[in-house]
Structure formats: C-alpha cells, structure tokens
Amino acid sequence: MPYNLKEIIAEKPVRFTAGHRMCAGCGCPPAMRMILRALHPEDHAVVSVATGCMEVSTFIYPYTSWTDSFIHTAFECSAATMSGVEAAYQSMKKQGKLPQDKNTKFLAFGGDGGTYDIGLQSLSGAMERGHDMVYVCYDNGAYMNTGIQRSSATPHFADTTTSPAGKVIPGKMQPRKDLTEILEAHHLPYVAQTIGVNNFKDLYEKAEKAIYTEGPTFLNVLAPCPRGWGYPTDMLMQINKLAIDTCYWPLYEIENGVYKITYKPAKKLPIEEFLKPQKRFKHLFQPGNEWMIEAFQKEVDDRWEKLLQLEKATSEPNAEAK
Amino acid sequence: MSIRERLSGNEAAATAMKQINPDVVAAFPITPSTEIPQYFSTFVSNGTVDTNFVAVESEHSAMSACIGAEAAGARAMTATSANGLSLMWEMIYIASSLRLPIVMSLVNRAVSGPLNIHCDHSDAMGVRDSGWIMLFSENNQEAYDNLLMAHRIAEHKDVLLPLMVCQDGFITSHSIENIELLEDDKVKEFVGTYKPEHYLLNSEEPIAVGPLDVQAYLFEHKRQQAEAMRNAKKVILEVSKEFEKLTGRSYSFFEEYRLEDAEIAIVCMNSTAGTTKFVVDALRNQGIKAGLLKVRVFRPFPAEEIASALSHLKAVAVLDKADSLNAAGGALYEDITSAMYIAQKQVPMINYVYGIGGRDTTSKEIESVYTDLQKIVSTGKLENPYRYLGVRSK
Amino acid sequence: MTEDNYNKNTPWQDLTPGGDIYTAGNAMEFKTGDWRSVRPVFLSEKCKQCGLCFPVCPDNAIPVGKDQKRTDFNYDYCKGCGVCAKTCPFGAIEMKEEGV
C-alpha cells in the first residue's frame, strides 16, 4: 500500500497523546508518535522507555501519555526490561495463558545516553538473544534530560556542559560513535537510520518494517533538541532537512545485511549549513577554527563514502556474484 | 507420600523451581549460585517445564528482565550471589517499589573486594532494607520449603513484594544432604496459579508502570510499601501453617531450639544454626542451659516476637556473618538490640562477627561463645560487646 | 476515586500501588496550553490541506478529521513552538504573541 500521510493521520489512532510535558518544539514526540502510528490499529503494544526526557515528561504520576501498555524501570535497561516482557509473552502465549487471536508488539525506546552509553550492554544482549522487539533510539546527541552533557553520540566539537568549548579545549574532542553500525554487527534482520522529515514517509515505512519484521530490529532516529543544540525552536523541520541534505545523518536501512540508502540528496550541502544555526557549534565559526569545520566535513564525507560503498557491495547483483 | 532424595542446596532450589514451573527465569552465572540456572536450563531444554529461560548478559539485566516479565503478568524467578546481587542493586529497589512479587534464590557469598567466592552474608545484608522479603534457610530442606512457600507469600494481595530465599554458599548450596520432596501435583496445587489484577499483557486494559513520582506522591507510595511489609508478617504465618498441614514441617518467624528454659543463647541465621544445635545438645548434656534462636524471617523483621522470645535469658550472643563496618555492631545485632530496647527487655547482649569470606566456624568456636556468655552471667560484666570469632589476631 | 483526581491531598491508602496507572492516555486531562507565549493562528483561507503540518506538532494540537482535513488548533495543548508555522509552505499559520 503506497504511503498516504493524510490517510494515516486521519485513520490511525494517536498512541502517544497530548498533555505530555516535553519541551515546546522537541523533536522526539512527532517522531515517536509517528513510529507508534505504524502499528496496525488492531495490535496491542507494550512500550518501554529508558529514564530520560521521553520518560520523565510523559508519565508523571498520575498522568500517562501512552495509550498502550507502558513500562519504565531505569536508565540503562529499557531493552533488558522489554526482553523480560517479550519472554513473558512468548511463554504465556505458548501456555495458552493469553488470548491466541490477539497480537502484542514490543517497542523499547531510549535516548542516546540510555542507548549509545549506559544502556549499550543491555541493548546488545537483548538483540543478540533474538527477542521479537524493536529498539528505537531517539538520538538528540547528548544527555539532554540532565542538562546537555556529552554522550558518545555527541558530534565532534560540540559545546556541551561536560565538553564545554573553552580556551584550551574547543568542545567535544572525539567524533560520535556509529551506533547503527554496531547494531548491524549483531546481524539483525532489520536495522535502519531515519528521521521525521517532510511527510514522514521514511520514518513511517521504516518503523512499520521494524515492527513487523520478526526478531530483534533497530531504529536510530535523529531527534533534535532546540535547547541542547541551540537553534530557534520553530526550526525543527529545517534542521532535520539540513541533517539529511548535508549527509550528517544519512537515511538508510539494512535488511539482512543488504544496505539501501533511502535518501541521496540531489545536491549534498556543505556541513556548515547544518552546523551554523546551532549554538553548540558557534565556536567553529570563529576565525582560526576553520580546521574544525574541515575535520567535521571530512568525517561526514568519509562516513557517507563508506556507506555508498557498503550499499554497492551488498546490493543484490553483487551479493549474487559472491 | 513425600519423596526421599539426596540433593545439594542448589539442586533443591532448582527442583523447587521446576515444580513451581514459572513462566520466565532470567539469570546470569555467578558462583556459587550458577548451578541453579544451569540445572534449570536443562529442565527447559528437555521440556520438563513451560518456562522461557532468558540467558541474560548480566545480573542487572536479569533483574530488569524479571521486572519486565513480572509486570507483564508472568511469574518470574532468578538466582544470584554476591557481586551479582550488587550489580542488580538498582533494580532490586525498583522491583519492590513496583510491587512485583519476583522470587529469587540468593546463595550467600562474600561481596568483593577483595574477590572471594565463599560464604558470608554481606550480599544479603546489603539489600536488607530494599523492600524484599528475606527468608533464611539452615539447609537444603529449608531452602526448598521456603521456595515452595515464596509465591504464596509474595503474591498475596496484601503483600505484593518480591522475596528472596537465602542459603549459605557452598556450605548448603554444594553439600548433598537428605531431603523430603513434595510430589509435583501437590506443589502445583499449593503454589497455585498467578492471577495479577493488572498486567502489561492485558490488551483489554493497557496500564502504565514506573512513573516519575514527584514530591506529592513518592512518600505515599513508600508508605504503601511499608504497610505491605508489615502485612507480610501475617501472611507468612498463614502460609507456613498451611504448609505444615501439607508436609508436617513447621515454620514460623524463627526457630527456638531448646530456648524455652535456656539461660544463655545464640542468635544466628542459615547453616551456622546446624553447628550451634550440635553444640547446644553437647552443652545440655553437661547441664549447661544453652539455647538457640535461628532467624528464618529477617525481613519483615519480627522485632516484637524476637524480643519476647529472648526476654527470659541471662545473656545472648548475636552472630553476624557480615561486618557492618559502622564502628558499631553487625546488622542482625543492631536489629535485635533495638528490638529489645523498644520492648524494654534488658538482657546483656554481645555481637560476634564471624565466618567472613568462607572462614569455617567450628563447633569449638561456637562453644567458646557459650563460654563467654557464661562468664558474662557469672561476672555480671559485659566488657566489649563488639567481638570477632575466628579471626587471627595478635 | 479515579487516578485523574489524585492530588497532593490524596491519602496513601487511596493511591494506586507502585504508582501504576490503569487509564492509559489520561495525560489528556493535563493541559499544557498555558505554557504558550506565542500563539499559532490558522488562516484557513490560505490552507491547501497539504498535510505537511499534520505530523510535525509535538503536542498533537492540530486536529485532523476523518475527511483528512485539519481544523483550528487545539489550544488546550499547543505550547506555541511554531514548528507548524515554519513548516507550512503556504503561510497559512501565523505566530502571534499571546495577550497582544
């Protein structure tokens, strides 16, 4: 069925409601809401969320924004917690303790702090064990909930409260970790990197694939944070567009090891376009710091080039030739 | 007719788990509890149980998965020791605060460091106020029996708290002793099925578990937990009575061994009670009125009942198999002296920290404790209340 | 007593155990509209119903009917972030300061 945004919004239920207390203009809620819309309306879901913005602002006792079953336990174990829920489902369904005609899907969420860093082991374990679940990382590139501390997802040179751009050290001195590739190294049936942009087609379709592919699957979703990144709050969609047009955040998927880049910008924009609106990169534009932009550009180019090669190397004709 | 067997403590625990047939077991290997998930995964592989065994990548994930499974509506069990429990620590509190009746076998071992794989109670003492019910077991039989009673206590609607059954690492877990097992069908009937009122996998009633609980609510939720722990006392006695009817084996908050007419007594937990009973009998033969109080239910702490049971004594020694490193006494000692104070019972009482890191505690050493107590009674002088048993010293 | 009525005066005996909530999605009872300092104004005559603003609202404050058409904002929840206005290709959403 071809993607029809208006029909999806009009017909499919909202599974993440208003009344949550995420910041105005936050990039997470639109993306997460759309991912949940990819669920078939007749299916029940259990959602687990790691401690972080998407938990502490969406389930503040006694109010919850989640219309499906929801569990939060701690920061580093969204995946492990969900693996227990899923194990219970498989066991109880097999024993006839749950209705046979009802499907439940399992979605674990975590921010980059809870996924790239403190929750990486729990995620790796759950994926390796093969639980039938989707793990969704909403990557806003720092520990935003605790006040913008650097994570391993924080981009090179970014100014954060624990990698401040100072007189001697100009921001975070390490490039960001490539989590999507780490997950691909688990040989999962489906791994994708996506974003909520334009008509949200890329996000929705990947979410649907991830949810309805049997086994463990992974989505890495860039979710801008206006406070942490320091861009005007209303620029969410423009920032997302710049992230993909500069190839800072390539959109691609890997199905059983086969790479497919789902968006190739007609004209790849220079990385400055993405960096410039963001206060966390302000110091990169000071005279004498050109080398930082060059280094950033090189990093983006190298990763994009590698991705193009991976796509080529794993595409069908090549795969057959092997 | 019950079944006579010869099993180690770990085998006894795994056998209880097999008969309970939980929906999910999530566990990670750590000496000396490793054998429990090992035996249990054999039951899973052979289709003896319906359980989904989750071989997690850490104890933190073991407890996380148990929480997820239990909240989902399943019966979840695990087993661990020492550092495994330390790694679970964060989730231990979350399990109890979410009011999930998870059941764990804790095979007691020294918490690092330095690394030591042998028995003491430092692991259990580290989580003594985490909101888990804690039952201690003298031997394999008690480890088995406590596990069979565990779900009935933990899942009771007035309780809804997780429960751990403790046994001594190696001393109990790896020693093969005689044991009486119940038939599978009797266990099944006694344990019953788990029917939670609200659970994640009920698609008819989606629920949310684990909120951000702000200043206006957390205190009240903790108060509920405290009440549940108080309620557990009544439920433990009820379930124990029912278990006695089924098996003839009697359990209460604690066991009083020749205590009624005793003048001096030792209080301890787990396997040391076995050695102490042997010493008590020997001393009784010599006409010395020695007795023992063996604590089975450590949390909820039966303060009033223990104070009452010790009130007639002339001197008491409390044995702690973990040092509290607080420049005062061990945890059990502090709890019991406090209970006596509240009950206004003035009995001279001393503390021995003993058996750390698997140090053997011999009958001779236990006898020396009774000798010390006799001296306190005869001189009326207590001197140092904080003592050590079996540590080398100049 | 329902969970939505819990408040700082509710005694411990009346709260749900463990902080569970049995009425999923009840955050709808919590209105976030008073966060707003700027207000989106929907200019229906300029709107082409292209749908691009439908998914971008973090607060689901753009109601869309079964006819696949949007209507005026739900100001009970709109926090005034302006993402919709910036996204609209037709200038059909204007941001105006509250109380002016």
Side-chain angles (χ1 to χ4, degrees):
Chain A
M1 202 168 58
Y3 178 79
N4 183 332
L5 170 70
K6 290 204 275 182
E7 196 182 301
I8 285 161
I9 301 273
E11 298 294 333
K12 298 187 90 176
V14 169
R15 303 174 90 134
F16 176 72
T17 72
H20 64 77
R21 287 170 251 185
M22 299 290 276
C23 299
C26 175
C28 298
M32 298 306 116
R33 190 177 289 116
M34 200 56 157
I35 289 168
L36 291 171
R37 268 202 165 105
L39 281 158
H40 299 161
E42 67 277 14
D43 287 346
H44 171 233
V46 182
V47 172
S48 91
V49 181
T51 312
C53 298
M54 271 306 273
E55 197 287 319
V56 303
S57 307
T58 67
F59 182 19
I60 304 177
Y61 193 77
Y63 300 105
T64 172
S65 284
W66 307 86
T67 67
D68 289 287
S69 295
F70 174 93
I71 182 165
H72 155 253
T73 57
F75 195 2
E76 66 277 53
C77 50
S78 180
T81 303
M82 189 53 94
S83 76
V85 179
E86 192 267 355
Y89 176 74
Q90 303 299 351
S91 171
M92 291 167 74
K93 194 133 187 182
K94 204 166 139 196
Q95 295 178 67
K97 293 181 178 176
L98 292 170
Q100 295 301 310
D101 57 343
K102 188 86 192 168
N103 282 323
T104 300
K105 307 305 289 182
F106 303 93
L107 292 91
F109 292 83
D112 52 289
T115 309
Y116 284 70
D117 288 348
I118 195 169
L120 185 63
Q121 173 184 316
S122 149
L123 169 63
S124 176
M127 297 285 109
E128 183 274 333
R129 292 193 298 274
H131 297 280
D132 188 12
M133 62 186 261
V134 190
Y135 190 98
V136 180
C137 174
Y138 63 95
D139 177 357
N140 52 28
Y143 292 85
M144 298 309 182
N145 185 44
T146 43
I148 321 165
Q149 292 81 33
R150 63 94 83 188
S151 77
S152 61
T154 300
H156 212 165
F157 307 120
D159 176 40
T160 74
T161 56
T162 51
S163 66
K167 285 177 187 158
V168 181
I169 305 172
K172 190 202 180 209
M173 293 314 289
Q174 303 81 17
R176 67 204 145 110
K177 186 189 277 182
D178 194 339
L179 183 67
T180 310
E181 289 305 307
I182 293 173
L183 269 295
E184 171 49 21
H186 288 69
H187 301 288
L188 307 181
Y190 189 75
V191 170
Q193 193 161 284
T194 179
I195 201 168
V197 76
N198 300 326
N199 64 356
F200 282 52
K201 181 175 186 279
D202 194 84
L203 179 73
Y204 179 90
E205 289 184 344
K206 285 173 181 168
E208 194 178 26
K209 254 190 213 172
I211 295 167
Y212 290 99
T213 296
E214 209 184 314
T217 59
F218 177 77
L219 291 177
N220 204 358
V221 186
L222 191 71
C225 170
R227 282 174 52 77
W229 294 14
Y231 65 86
T233 299
D234 61 0
M235 264 191 73
L236 174 61
M237 286 302 122
Q238 289 70 33
I239 284 285
N240 279 353
K241 189 84 174 59
L242 288 168
I244 61 171
D245 282 339
T246 56
C247 297
Y248 170 81
W249 191 256
L251 303 184
Y252 68 106
E253 61 187 7
I254 314 160
E255 270 185 275
N256 296 311
V258 178
Y259 282 67
K260 188 184 168 202
I261 299 171
T262 54
Y263 176 73
K264 287 175 186 163
K267 184 175 176 288
K268 182 166 168 259
L269 298 178
I271 195 63
E272 285 102 309
E273 304 276 327
F274 174 69
L275 304 177
K276 200 142 202 182
Q278 304 181 43
K279 276 206 194 97
R280 62 177 172 161
F281 298 119
K282 198 173 147 199
H283 55 294
L284 274 66
F285 293 90
Q286 280 162 7
N289 284 347
E290 294 80 4
W291 65 276
M292 292 161 80
I293 295 177
E294 279 165 31
F296 206 120
Q297 184 69 62
K298 186 174 179 318
E299 181 192 313
V300 167
D301 291 347
D302 288 351
R303 290 185 185 198
W304 178 246
E305 192 49 46
K306 191 183 156 204
L307 199 57
L308 290 168
Q309 282 170 14
L310 280 166
E311 184 187 44
K312 206 173 153 196
T314 60
S315 65
E316 292 306 337
N318 282 319
E320 275 166 31
K322 272 183 202 163
Chain B
M1 264 307 281
S2 58
I3 305 151
R4 291 192 159 273
E5 255 290 9
R6 291 153 63 85
L7 300 175
S8 71
N10 279 344
E11 285 171 324
T15 305
M17 287 168 74
K18 180 181 76 178
Q19 294 181 312
I20 292 163
N21 193 15
D23 302 297
V24 173
V25 167
F28 186 81
I30 182 164
T31 306
S33 64
T34 311
E35 288 178 340
I36 297 175
Q38 212 171 291
Y39 293 132
F40 193 80
S41 52
T42 310
F43 303 142
V44 175
S45 286
N46 291 330
T48 318
V49 289
D50 297 307
T51 312
N52 193 342
F53 180 72
V54 188
V56 283
E57 84 298 334
S58 72
E59 288 91 351
H60 193 283
S61 288
M63 191 41 62
S64 302
C66 283
I67 290 170
E70 194 77 36
R75 238 180 211 149
M77 296 183 81
T78 189
T80 196
S81 295
N83 298 29
L85 186 64
S86 306
L87 189 56
M88 279 183 191
W89 205 74
E90 178 190 33
M91 307 317 290
I92 287 288
Y93 277 77
I94 292 171
S96 61
S97 67
L98 295 181
R99 308 295 300 279
L100 299 170
I102 296 160
V103 172
M104 179 201 310
S105 274
L106 179 67
V107 181
N108 298 113
R109 160 186 151 180
V111 168
S112 297
L115 176 65
N116 174 293
I117 60 164
H118 297 281
C119 178
D120 69 34
H121 295 169
S122 49
D123 50 6
M125 291 304 123
V127 296
R128 67 185 185 272
D129 295 325
S130 63
W132 282 61
I133 295 167
M134 298 172 81
L135 305 181
F136 280 74
S137 324
E138 183 185 326
N139 49 36
N140 60 350
Q141 183 73 59
E142 292 191 8
Y144 172 78
D145 290 351
N146 279 334
L147 275 173
L148 296 192
M149 285 180 261
H151 290 92
R152 291 287 305 280
I153 299 163
E155 291 168 4
H156 192 284
K157 65 173 174 40
D158 297 334
V159 178
L160 292 175
L161 290 174
L163 184 154
M164 62 181 81
V165 172
C166 300
Q167 60 168 295
D168 280 347
F170 292 111
I171 302 167
T172 305
S173 69
H174 285 64
S175 303
I176 294 167
E177 287 186 280
N178 291 330
I179 189 168
E180 272 187 37
L181 303 175
L182 274 180
E183 292 88 343
D184 291 354
D185 57 332
K186 282 195 180 151
V187 173
K188 198 177 169 184
E189 200 191 321
F190 180 78
V191 176
T193 47
Y194 180 44
K195 291 194 186 93
E197 212 175 321
H198 307 278
Y199 55 103
L200 294 171
L201 290 175
N202 181 2
S203 57
E204 301 299 314
E205 186 209 44
I207 62 166
V209 173
L212 172 66
D213 216 25
V214 293
Q215 301 94 315
Y217 299 107
L218 183 73
F219 198 170
E220 281 67 26
H221 284 132
K222 287 290 162 194
R223 179 66 187 83
Q224 292 177 336
Q225 260 181 280
E227 191 70 6
M229 190 57 90
R230 288 191 174 91
N231 294 343
K233 285 181 70 176
K234 184 173 80 62
V235 175
I236 289 167
L237 291 182
E238 284 168 7
V239 173
S240 303
K241 273 271 165 300
E242 216 184 298
F243 189 78
E244 187 181 350
K245 268 186 213 155
L246 184 68
T247 63
R249 292 192 290 276
S250 167
Y251 288 96
S252 184
F253 294 134
F254 44 82
E255 182 189 343
E256 294 168 75
Y257 188 78
R258 306 185 87 160
L259 191 68
E260 209 180 354
D261 64 339
E263 291 177 351
I264 50 175
I266 280 177
V267 180
C268 66
M269 301 197 288
N270 275 7
S271 66
T272 309
T275 316
T276 308
K277 284 174 183 173
F278 171 80
V279 175
V280 166
D281 289 346
L283 292 174
R284 285 281 178 165
N285 287 341
Q286 297 167 33
I288 298 163
K289 288 191 166 176
L292 161 72
L293 188 148
K294 178 187 82 188
V295 177
R296 173 196 178 219
V297 180
F298 181 56
R299 290 290 181 270
F301 189 68
E304 213 185 312
E305 294 81 357
I306 288 179
S308 163
L310 298 177
S311 62
H312 66 284
L313 291 155
K314 292 184 176 161
V316 172
V318 179
L319 270 51
D320 270 288
K321 211 172 163 72
D323 201 344
S324 283
L325 306 180
N326 57 2
L332 186 59
Y333 179 68
E334 295 290 295
D335 279 350
I336 290 177
T337 48
S338 159
M340 299 295 278
Y341 183 86
I342 300 299
Q344 300 190 9
K345 308 287 184 197
Q346 185 65 35
V347 175
M349 196 169 281
I350 47 171
N351 186 206
Y352 290 88
V353 171
Y354 78 105
I356 302 301
R359 176 65 46 87
D360 277 341
T361 303
T362 61
S363 56
K364 212 169 172 181
E365 283 166 334
I366 296 290
E367 208 181 317
S368 78
V369 172
Y370 283 110
T371 309
D372 290 353
L373 288 174
Q374 283 179 300
K375 198 177 152 201
I376 289 167
V377 175
S378 64
T379 61
K381 280 186 195 150
L382 196 141
E383 291 167 359
N384 178 22
Y386 306 118
R387 307 182 186 193
Y388 289 86
L389 186 65
V391 72
R392 287 186 301 280
S393 178
K394 268 203 218 174
Chain C
M1 171 164 236
T2 64
E3 294 146 13
D4 309 337
N5 297 327
Y6 289 166
N7 58 46
K8 60 180 183 187
N9 298 316
T10 313
W12 66 264
Q13 292 89 343
D14 292 344
L15 296 178
T16 48
D20 289 358
I21 289 297
Y22 310 133
T23 48
N26 70 346
M28 291 289 283
E29 303 299 323
F30 189 90
K31 307 292 161 65
T32 53
D34 58 359
W35 291 24
R36 206 169 47 239
S37 60
V38 282
R39 175 187 192 84
V41 176
F42 179 48
L43 309 171
S44 59
E45 67 281 4
K46 288 194 184 171
C47 174
K48 310 254 192 252
Q49 297 291 348
C50 70
L52 284 181
C53 68
F54 297 3
V56 305
C57 175
D59 296 290
N60 203 39
I62 301 174
V64 179
K66 290 277 173 205
D67 61 356
Q68 301 184 13
K69 291 196 164 93
R70 65 158 292 178
T71 51
D72 200 359
F73 288 98
N74 187 339
Y75 293 107
D76 279 350
Y77 305 107
C78 168
K79 293 170 186 158
C81 68
V83 170
C84 57
K86 194 97 175 171
T87 302
C88 178
F90 307 105
I93 304 168
E94 264 180 22
M95 298 306 289
K96 295 228 165 106
E97 224 165 290
E98 282 286 354
V100 177

